Coordinates of all heavy atoms in Angstrom, one line a residue:
M1 N 47.9 163.9 130.3 CA 47.8 163.7 131.7 C 49.2 163.2 132.2 O 49.8 162.3 131.7 CB 46.7 162.6 132.0 CG 46.7 162.2 133.5 SD 45.5 161.0 133.9 CE 46.3 159.5 133.5
S2 N 49.7 163.9 133.2 CA 51.0 163.5 133.8 C 50.9 162.3 134.7 O 49.9 162.1 135.5 CB 51.5 164.7 134.6 OG 52.7 164.3 135.3
M3 N 51.8 161.4 134.5 CA 51.8 160.2 135.4 C 52.8 160.3 136.5 O 53.0 159.4 137.3 CB 52.3 159.0 134.5 CG 51.3 158.6 133.4 SD 49.8 157.9 133.9 CE 50.3 156.4 134.6
N4 N 53.5 161.5 136.6 CA 54.5 161.7 137.7 C 53.8 161.4 139.0 O 52.8 161.9 139.3 CB 55.1 163.1 137.6 CG 56.0 163.3 136.4 OD1 56.2 162.4 135.6 ND2 56.5 164.5 136.3
G5 N 54.5 160.6 139.8 CA 54.0 160.3 141.2 C 53.1 159.1 141.2 O 52.7 158.7 142.3
A6 N 52.6 158.6 140.1 CA 51.8 157.4 140.1 C 52.6 156.2 140.5 O 53.8 156.1 140.3 CB 51.2 157.2 138.7
L7 N 51.9 155.2 141.2 CA 52.6 154.0 141.7 C 52.0 152.8 140.9 O 50.8 152.6 140.8 CB 52.3 153.9 143.2 CG 53.1 152.9 143.9 CD1 54.6 153.2 143.9 CD2 52.7 152.9 145.4
A8 N 52.9 152.0 140.4 CA 52.6 150.8 139.6 C 53.0 149.6 140.5 O 54.1 149.5 141.0 CB 53.3 150.8 138.3
A9 N 52.0 148.7 140.7 CA 52.2 147.5 141.4 C 52.8 147.7 142.8 O 53.6 146.9 143.3 CB 53.1 146.5 140.6
D10 N 52.5 148.8 143.4 CA 52.9 149.2 144.8 C 54.5 149.1 144.9 O 55.0 148.9 146.0 CB 52.3 148.3 145.9 CG 50.9 148.4 146.0 OD1 50.4 149.6 145.9 OD2 50.1 147.4 146.2
R11 N 55.1 149.3 143.8 CA 56.6 149.1 143.7 C 57.3 150.2 142.9 O 58.4 150.6 143.3 CB 57.0 147.8 143.2 CG 58.4 147.5 143.1 CD 58.7 146.1 142.7 NE 60.2 146.0 142.5 CZ 60.8 144.8 142.3 NH1 60.1 143.7 142.1 NH2 62.1 144.8 142.1
Y12 N 56.7 150.6 141.8 CA 57.4 151.5 140.9 C 56.8 152.9 140.9 O 55.6 153.1 140.5 CB 57.3 150.9 139.4 CG 57.9 149.5 139.3 CD1 57.1 148.4 139.3 CD2 59.3 149.3 139.4 CE1 57.6 147.2 139.2 CE2 59.8 148.1 139.3 CZ 59.0 147.0 139.3 OH 59.5 145.7 139.2
L13 N 57.5 153.9 141.3 CA 57.1 155.2 141.4 C 57.4 155.9 140.1 O 58.6 156.1 139.9 CB 57.7 155.9 142.6 CG 57.3 157.4 142.9 CD1 55.8 157.5 143.2 CD2 58.1 158.0 144.0
L14 N 56.4 156.3 139.4 CA 56.7 156.9 138.1 C 57.2 158.3 138.2 O 56.7 159.1 139.0 CB 55.5 156.9 137.2 CG 55.3 155.6 136.3 CD1 55.0 154.4 137.2 CD2 54.2 155.8 135.3
A15 N 58.2 158.7 137.4 CA 58.8 160.0 137.4 C 58.5 160.5 136.0 O 57.5 160.3 135.4 CB 60.3 159.9 137.7
Q16 N 59.5 161.2 135.4 CA 59.3 161.9 134.1 C 59.1 160.9 133.0 O 59.6 159.8 133.0 CB 60.5 162.8 133.8 CG 61.7 162.0 133.5 CD 62.9 162.9 133.5 OE1 63.1 163.7 134.4 NE2 63.8 162.8 132.5
R17 N 58.3 161.4 132.0 CA 58.2 160.6 130.7 C 59.4 160.8 129.9 O 59.9 161.9 129.7 CB 57.0 161.2 129.9 CG 56.7 160.4 128.7 CD 55.4 160.9 128.0 NE 55.1 160.1 126.8 CZ 55.7 160.3 125.6 NH1 56.5 161.3 125.4 NH2 55.3 159.6 124.6
L18 N 60.0 159.7 129.5 CA 61.3 159.8 128.7 C 61.0 159.9 127.2 O 61.8 160.4 126.5 CB 62.1 158.5 129.0 CG 62.5 158.3 130.5 CD1 63.3 157.0 130.6 CD2 63.4 159.5 130.9
G19 N 59.9 159.3 126.8 CA 59.6 159.4 125.3 C 58.7 158.2 125.0 O 58.0 157.7 125.8
A20 N 58.7 157.9 123.7 CA 57.8 156.9 123.1 C 58.6 155.6 122.8 O 59.8 155.7 122.3 CB 57.1 157.4 121.9
G21 N 58.1 154.5 123.0 CA 58.7 153.2 122.6 C 58.0 152.7 121.4 O 57.2 153.4 120.7
A22 N 58.3 151.5 121.1 CA 57.6 150.8 119.9 C 56.1 150.7 120.1 O 55.6 150.7 121.2 CB 58.2 149.4 119.8
A23 N 55.4 150.7 119.0 CA 54.0 150.6 119.0 C 53.3 151.7 119.8 O 52.2 151.5 120.3 CB 53.6 149.2 119.5
G24 N 53.9 152.9 119.9 CA 53.3 154.0 120.5 C 53.2 154.0 122.0 O 52.4 154.7 122.6
T25 N 54.0 153.1 122.7 CA 54.0 153.1 124.1 C 54.6 154.3 124.7 O 55.5 154.9 124.1 CB 54.6 151.8 124.6 OG1 56.0 151.7 124.1 CG2 53.9 150.5 124.2
D26 N 54.3 154.6 126.0 CA 54.9 155.7 126.7 C 56.0 155.0 127.6 O 55.8 154.0 128.2 CB 53.9 156.4 127.6 CG 53.0 157.3 126.9 OD1 53.3 157.7 125.7 OD2 51.9 157.5 127.4
V27 N 57.2 155.7 127.6 CA 58.3 155.2 128.4 C 58.6 156.2 129.5 O 58.8 157.4 129.2 CB 59.6 154.9 127.6 CG1 60.7 154.4 128.5 CG2 59.2 153.9 126.5
H28 N 58.6 155.8 130.7 CA 58.8 156.6 131.9 C 60.0 156.2 132.7 O 60.2 155.0 132.8 CB 57.6 156.6 132.8 CG 56.3 157.2 132.2 ND1 55.9 158.5 132.5 CD2 55.4 156.6 131.4 CE1 54.8 158.7 131.8 NE2 54.5 157.6 131.2
A29 N 60.7 157.1 133.3 CA 61.7 156.8 134.3 C 60.8 156.4 135.6 O 59.8 157.1 135.8 CB 62.6 157.9 134.6
A30 N 61.2 155.4 136.3 CA 60.5 155.1 137.5 C 61.5 154.6 138.6 O 62.6 154.1 138.2 CB 59.5 154.0 137.3
I31 N 61.2 154.8 139.8 CA 62.0 154.4 140.9 C 61.5 153.0 141.4 O 60.3 152.9 141.8 CB 62.1 155.4 142.0 CG1 62.6 156.7 141.5 CG2 63.0 154.9 143.2 CD1 62.4 157.9 142.4
D32 N 62.3 152.0 141.4 CA 62.0 150.7 142.0 C 62.1 150.8 143.5 O 63.3 150.9 144.0 CB 62.9 149.6 141.4 CG 62.6 148.2 141.9 OD1 61.9 148.1 143.0 OD2 63.0 147.3 141.3
L33 N 61.1 150.9 144.2 CA 61.1 151.2 145.6 C 61.7 150.0 146.4 O 62.2 150.2 147.5 CB 59.7 151.5 146.2 CG 59.1 152.8 145.6 CD1 57.7 153.0 146.1 CD2 60.0 154.0 145.9
E34 N 61.7 148.8 145.8 CA 62.3 147.6 146.5 C 63.8 147.6 146.4 O 64.5 147.2 147.3 CB 61.7 146.3 146.0 CG 60.3 146.1 146.4 CD 59.7 144.8 146.0 OE1 60.5 143.9 145.5 OE2 58.5 144.6 146.1
R35 N 64.3 148.0 145.2 CA 65.7 147.9 145.0 C 66.4 149.3 145.1 O 67.6 149.3 145.1 CB 66.0 147.3 143.6 CG 65.5 145.9 143.4 CD 66.0 145.2 142.1 NE 65.7 146.1 141.0 CZ 66.5 146.1 139.9 NH1 67.6 145.4 139.8 NH2 66.3 146.9 138.9
G36 N 65.7 150.4 145.1 CA 66.2 151.7 145.2 C 67.0 152.1 143.9 O 68.0 152.8 144.0
V37 N 66.6 151.7 142.8 CA 67.2 152.0 141.5 C 66.2 152.6 140.5 O 65.0 152.4 140.7 CB 67.9 150.8 140.9 CG1 69.0 150.3 141.8 CG2 66.9 149.7 140.5
V38 N 66.7 153.3 139.5 CA 65.9 153.9 138.5 C 65.8 152.8 137.4 O 66.7 152.2 137.0 CB 66.5 155.2 138.0 CG1 65.6 155.7 136.8 CG2 66.5 156.2 139.1
V39 N 64.5 152.6 136.9 CA 64.3 151.7 135.8 C 63.4 152.4 134.8 O 63.0 153.5 135.0 CB 63.5 150.5 136.4 CG1 64.3 149.7 137.3 CG2 62.1 150.9 137.0
A40 N 63.2 151.8 133.6 CA 62.4 152.3 132.6 C 61.1 151.4 132.7 O 61.1 150.2 132.7 CB 63.0 152.1 131.2
L41 N 59.9 152.1 132.7 CA 58.6 151.5 132.7 C 57.9 151.9 131.5 O 57.7 153.1 131.2 CB 57.9 151.9 134.0 CG 56.6 151.1 134.2 CD1 56.4 150.9 135.7 CD2 55.4 151.8 133.7
K42 N 57.4 150.9 130.7 CA 56.8 151.1 129.4 C 55.3 150.7 129.5 O 55.0 149.6 130.0 CB 57.5 150.4 128.4 CG 57.0 150.6 127.0 CD 57.9 150.0 125.9 CE 58.0 148.5 125.9 NZ 58.7 148.0 124.8
L43 N 54.4 151.6 129.1 CA 53.0 151.2 129.1 C 52.3 151.9 128.0 O 52.8 152.9 127.4 CB 52.3 151.6 130.4 CG 52.1 153.0 130.8 CD1 51.1 153.1 131.9 CD2 53.4 153.6 131.4
P44 N 51.1 151.4 127.5 CA 50.4 152.0 126.5 C 49.9 153.4 126.9 O 49.7 153.7 128.1 CB 49.2 151.1 126.3 CG 49.5 149.8 126.9 CD 50.5 150.1 128.0
P45 N 49.8 154.3 125.9 CA 49.3 155.7 126.3 C 48.0 155.7 126.9 O 47.1 154.8 126.6 CB 49.4 156.4 124.9 CG 49.3 155.3 123.9 CD 49.9 154.1 124.5
G46 N 47.7 156.6 127.8 CA 46.4 156.7 128.5 C 45.3 157.0 127.6 O 44.1 156.7 127.9
D47 N 45.5 157.5 126.4 CA 44.4 157.9 125.5 C 44.2 156.8 124.5 O 43.4 157.0 123.5 CB 44.7 159.2 124.8 CG 46.0 159.2 124.0 OD1 46.7 158.2 124.0 OD2 46.3 160.2 123.3
A48 N 44.8 155.6 124.7 CA 44.5 154.5 123.8 C 43.0 154.1 123.9 O 42.5 154.0 125.0 CB 45.4 153.3 124.1
P49 N 42.4 153.7 122.8 CA 41.0 153.4 122.9 C 40.8 152.0 123.7 O 41.7 151.2 123.6 CB 40.6 153.2 121.4 CG 41.8 153.0 120.7 CD 42.9 153.7 121.4
P50 N 39.7 151.9 124.4 CA 39.5 150.7 125.2 C 39.6 149.4 124.4 O 40.1 148.4 124.9 CB 38.1 150.9 125.7 CG 37.8 152.4 125.7 CD 38.6 152.9 124.5
E51 N 39.2 149.4 123.2 CA 39.2 148.2 122.4 C 40.7 147.8 122.1 O 40.9 146.6 121.7 CB 38.4 148.3 121.1 CG 38.9 149.4 120.1 CD 38.2 150.8 120.4 OE1 37.5 150.9 121.4 OE2 38.4 151.7 119.6
A52 N 41.6 148.6 122.3 CA 43.0 148.3 122.1 C 43.7 147.6 123.3 O 44.8 147.1 123.2 CB 43.8 149.5 121.7
A53 N 42.9 147.6 124.4 CA 43.5 147.0 125.6 C 44.0 145.6 125.5 O 45.1 145.3 125.9 CB 42.5 147.1 126.8
E54 N 43.2 144.7 124.9 CA 43.6 143.3 124.7 C 44.8 143.2 123.8 O 45.7 142.4 124.1 CB 42.4 142.5 124.2 CG 42.8 141.0 124.1 CD 43.2 140.4 125.5 OE1 42.7 140.8 126.5 OE2 44.2 139.6 125.5
L55 N 44.9 144.0 122.8 CA 46.1 144.0 121.9 C 47.3 144.4 122.7 O 48.3 143.8 122.6 CB 45.8 145.0 120.7 CG 47.1 145.2 119.8 CD1 47.4 144.0 119.1 CD2 46.8 146.4 118.9
H56 N 47.2 145.4 123.5 CA 48.3 145.9 124.3 C 48.8 144.8 125.3 O 49.9 144.6 125.6 CB 48.0 147.2 125.0 CG 48.0 148.4 124.1 ND1 49.1 148.8 123.5 CD2 47.0 149.2 123.8 CE1 48.8 149.9 122.7 NE2 47.6 150.1 122.9
R57 N 47.8 144.1 125.9 CA 48.1 143.1 126.9 C 48.8 141.9 126.2 O 49.8 141.4 126.7 CB 46.8 142.6 127.6 CG 46.4 143.4 128.8 CD 45.4 142.7 129.6 NE 44.1 142.8 129.0 CZ 43.3 143.8 129.0 NH1 43.7 144.9 129.7 NH2 42.1 143.8 128.4
A58 N 48.3 141.5 125.0 CA 49.0 140.4 124.3 C 50.4 140.8 123.9 O 51.3 140.0 123.9 CB 48.1 140.1 123.1
R59 N 50.5 142.1 123.4 CA 51.9 142.6 123.0 C 52.8 142.6 124.2 O 54.0 142.2 124.0 CB 51.7 144.0 122.4 CG 52.7 144.3 121.4 CD 52.4 145.7 120.8 NE 51.7 145.5 119.6 CZ 51.0 146.5 119.0 NH1 50.8 147.7 119.6 NH2 50.4 146.3 117.9
A60 N 52.4 143.0 125.4 CA 53.2 143.1 126.5 C 53.6 141.6 127.0 O 54.8 141.4 127.3 CB 52.5 143.8 127.7
A61 N 52.7 140.7 126.9 CA 53.0 139.3 127.3 C 54.0 138.7 126.3 O 55.0 138.0 126.7 CB 51.7 138.5 127.3
R62 N 53.9 139.0 125.0 CA 54.8 138.5 124.0 C 56.2 139.1 124.3 O 57.2 138.4 124.2 CB 54.3 138.8 122.6 CG 55.1 138.2 121.5 CD 54.4 138.4 120.2 NE 54.1 139.7 119.8 CZ 52.8 140.2 119.7 NH1 51.8 139.3 119.8 NH2 52.6 141.4 119.4
E63 N 56.2 140.4 124.6 CA 57.5 141.1 124.8 C 58.2 140.5 126.0 O 59.4 140.2 126.0 CB 57.3 142.5 125.0 CG 58.6 143.3 125.2 CD 58.3 144.8 125.4 OE1 57.3 145.3 124.9 OE2 59.1 145.5 126.0
V64 N 57.5 140.2 127.1 CA 58.1 139.5 128.2 C 58.6 138.2 127.9 O 59.8 137.8 128.3 CB 57.1 139.5 129.4 CG1 57.6 138.6 130.5 CG2 56.8 140.9 129.9
R65 N 57.9 137.4 127.2 CA 58.3 136.0 126.8 C 59.6 136.1 126.0 O 60.6 135.4 126.2 CB 57.3 135.3 126.0 CG 56.2 134.7 126.9 CD 55.3 133.7 126.1 NE 54.8 134.2 124.8 CZ 53.7 134.9 124.7 NH1 53.0 135.2 125.7 NH2 53.3 135.3 123.5
L66 N 59.6 137.0 125.0 CA 60.8 137.2 124.2 C 62.0 137.7 125.0 O 63.1 137.2 124.8 CB 60.6 138.1 123.0 CG 59.6 137.6 121.9 CD1 59.2 138.7 121.0 CD2 60.2 136.5 121.2
G67 N 61.7 138.6 125.9 CA 62.8 139.1 126.7 C 63.4 138.1 127.6 O 64.6 138.0 127.8
Q68 N 62.6 137.2 128.2 CA 63.1 136.1 129.0 C 63.9 135.1 128.2 O 64.9 134.6 128.7 CB 61.9 135.4 129.7 CG 61.3 136.3 130.8 CD 60.0 135.7 131.3 OE1 59.3 134.9 130.6 NE2 59.6 136.2 132.4
A69 N 63.5 134.9 127.0 CA 64.3 134.0 126.1 C 65.6 134.6 125.8 O 66.6 133.8 125.5 CB 63.5 133.7 124.8
L70 N 65.8 135.9 125.7 CA 67.0 136.6 125.4 C 67.8 137.1 126.6 O 68.7 137.9 126.5 CB 66.7 137.7 124.4 CG 66.1 137.3 123.1 CD1 65.7 138.6 122.3 CD2 67.1 136.5 122.3
A71 N 67.4 136.6 127.8 CA 67.9 137.2 129.1 C 69.4 137.1 129.2 O 70.0 138.0 129.8 CB 67.3 136.5 130.2
D72 N 70.1 136.2 128.5 CA 71.5 136.0 128.7 C 72.3 136.8 127.6 O 73.5 136.7 127.6 CB 71.9 134.5 128.6 CG 71.4 133.8 129.8 OD1 71.2 134.4 130.9 OD2 71.0 132.6 129.7
C73 N 71.6 137.4 126.7 CA 72.3 138.1 125.6 C 72.8 139.5 126.1 O 72.0 140.3 126.6 CB 71.3 138.3 124.4 SG 72.1 139.2 123.0
P74 N 74.1 139.8 126.0 CA 74.6 141.0 126.6 C 74.2 142.3 125.8 O 74.3 143.4 126.4 CB 76.1 140.8 126.5 CG 76.3 139.8 125.4 CD 75.1 138.9 125.4
R75 N 73.7 142.1 124.7 CA 73.3 143.3 123.9 C 71.8 143.6 123.9 O 71.3 144.5 123.1 CB 73.8 143.1 122.4 CG 75.3 143.1 122.3 CD 75.7 143.0 120.9 NE 77.1 143.1 120.8 CZ 77.9 142.0 120.8 NH1 77.4 140.8 121.0 NH2 79.2 142.2 120.7
V76 N 71.1 142.9 124.8 CA 69.6 143.2 124.8 C 69.3 143.7 126.2 O 69.8 143.1 127.2 CB 68.9 141.8 124.6 CG1 67.4 142.0 124.8 CG2 69.2 141.3 123.2
V77 N 68.5 144.7 126.3 CA 68.1 145.3 127.6 C 67.3 144.2 128.4 O 66.6 143.4 127.8 CB 67.2 146.5 127.4 CG1 65.9 146.2 126.8 CG2 67.1 147.3 128.7
R78 N 67.5 144.2 129.7 CA 66.9 143.2 130.5 C 65.5 143.5 130.9 O 65.2 144.7 131.2 CB 67.7 143.0 131.9 CG 69.0 142.3 131.7 CD 69.6 141.9 133.0 NE 69.6 143.1 133.9 CZ 69.6 143.0 135.2 NH1 69.7 141.8 135.8 NH2 69.6 144.0 136.0
W79 N 64.6 142.6 130.8 CA 63.2 142.7 131.3 C 63.2 142.3 132.7 O 63.6 141.2 133.1 CB 62.3 141.8 130.5 CG 61.9 142.2 129.1 CD1 60.7 142.8 128.8 CD2 62.7 142.2 127.9 NE1 60.7 143.1 127.5 CE2 61.9 142.8 126.9 CE3 64.0 141.8 127.6 CZ2 62.3 142.9 125.6 CZ3 64.4 142.0 126.3 CH2 63.6 142.5 125.4
L80 N 62.8 143.2 133.6 CA 62.8 142.9 135.0 C 61.5 142.5 135.6 O 61.4 141.7 136.5 CB 63.3 144.2 135.8 CG 64.7 144.7 135.3 CD1 64.9 146.0 136.0 CD2 65.7 143.7 135.7
D81 N 60.4 143.0 135.1 CA 59.1 142.8 135.7 C 58.0 143.2 134.7 O 58.3 143.8 133.7 CB 59.0 143.6 137.0 CG 57.9 143.1 137.9 OD1 57.2 142.1 137.6 OD2 57.7 143.8 138.9
H82 N 56.8 142.8 135.0 CA 55.6 143.2 134.2 C 54.4 143.1 135.1 O 54.5 142.5 136.2 CB 55.5 142.4 132.9 CG 55.1 141.0 133.2 ND1 56.1 140.0 133.7 CD2 54.0 140.3 133.1 CE1 55.5 138.9 133.8 NE2 54.2 139.0 133.5
G83 N 53.4 143.8 134.7 CA 52.1 143.7 135.5 C 51.1 144.5 134.8 O 51.1 144.9 133.7
T84 N 50.1 144.9 135.6 CA 49.0 145.7 135.2 C 48.8 146.9 136.0 O 48.8 146.9 137.2 CB 47.6 144.9 135.2 OG1 47.8 143.7 134.5 CG2 46.5 145.7 134.6
F85 N 48.8 148.1 135.4 CA 48.6 149.4 136.0 C 47.2 149.5 136.6 O 46.3 148.7 136.2 CB 48.9 150.5 135.1 CG 49.4 151.8 135.7 CD1 50.7 151.9 136.2 CD2 48.6 152.8 135.8 CE1 51.1 153.0 136.9 CE2 49.0 154.0 136.5 CZ 50.2 154.1 137.0
E86 N 47.0 150.4 137.6 CA 45.7 150.5 138.2 C 44.6 150.7 137.3 O 43.4 150.4 137.6 CB 45.8 151.6 139.3 CG 46.1 152.9 138.8 CD 46.5 153.9 139.8 OE1 46.9 153.6 140.9 OE2 46.4 155.1 139.5
D87 N 44.8 151.3 136.1 CA 43.8 151.6 135.2 C 43.6 150.5 134.2 O 42.8 150.6 133.2 CB 44.0 152.9 134.5 CG 45.2 153.0 133.6 OD1 45.9 151.9 133.5 OD2 45.5 154.1 133.1
G88 N 44.3 149.4 134.4 CA 44.1 148.2 133.5 C 45.1 148.1 132.4 O 45.2 147.0 131.7
R89 N 46.0 149.1 132.2 CA 47.0 149.0 131.2 C 48.2 148.1 131.6 O 48.6 148.2 132.8 CB 47.6 150.4 130.8 CG 46.6 151.3 130.1 CD 47.1 152.6 129.8 NE 47.3 153.4 131.0 CZ 48.0 154.5 131.0 NH1 48.7 154.9 130.0 NH2 48.1 155.2 132.1
P90 N 48.6 147.2 130.7 CA 49.8 146.4 131.1 C 51.1 147.3 131.1 O 51.1 148.3 130.4 CB 49.8 145.4 130.0 CG 49.2 146.1 128.8 CD 48.2 147.0 129.4
F91 N 52.1 146.9 131.9 CA 53.3 147.6 131.8 C 54.5 146.6 131.8 O 54.3 145.4 132.3 CB 53.5 148.6 133.0 CG 53.6 148.0 134.3 CD1 54.8 147.5 134.9 CD2 52.4 147.9 135.1 CE1 54.8 146.9 136.1 CE2 52.5 147.3 136.4 CZ 53.7 146.8 136.9
V92 N 55.6 147.0 131.3 CA 56.8 146.2 131.3 C 57.9 147.0 131.9 O 58.0 148.2 131.6 CB 57.2 145.7 129.9 CG1 58.5 144.9 129.8 CG2 56.0 144.9 129.3
V93 N 58.8 146.4 132.7 CA 59.9 147.2 133.4 C 61.2 146.7 132.8 O 61.4 145.5 132.8 CB 59.8 147.0 134.9 CG1 61.0 147.7 135.6 CG2 58.5 147.4 135.5
H94 N 62.1 147.6 132.5 CA 63.4 147.3 131.9 C 64.5 148.0 132.8 O 64.2 149.0 133.4 CB 63.5 147.9 130.5 CG 62.6 147.4 129.5 ND1 62.7 146.2 128.8 CD2 61.3 147.8 129.1 CE1 61.7 146.0 128.0 NE2 60.9 147.0 128.2
D95 N 65.7 147.5 132.6 CA 66.8 148.2 133.2 C 66.9 149.6 132.6 O 66.6 149.8 131.5 CB 68.1 147.5 132.9 CG 68.5 146.5 134.0 OD1 68.0 146.6 135.1 OD2 69.4 145.6 133.8

């Protein structure tokens, strides 16, 4: 299923799928409608079993905490935002 044109958190307009991230996540280019820039938005695949939802939420929360702890490191991509997609999947936004 294509996510092109989907809107996450009323802010991120999903464009093309860029590829796969760690743990089987889907990575999409998205337009940040507030800042007018392209970002990377990572979320679990749509075909993930429902019982994996809590695992994905915990993983996303842990990733955000680690990203915030490393925010000043020049060699680590910045975590900009996170939230829950309309279908309940967590997402993380990167530069």
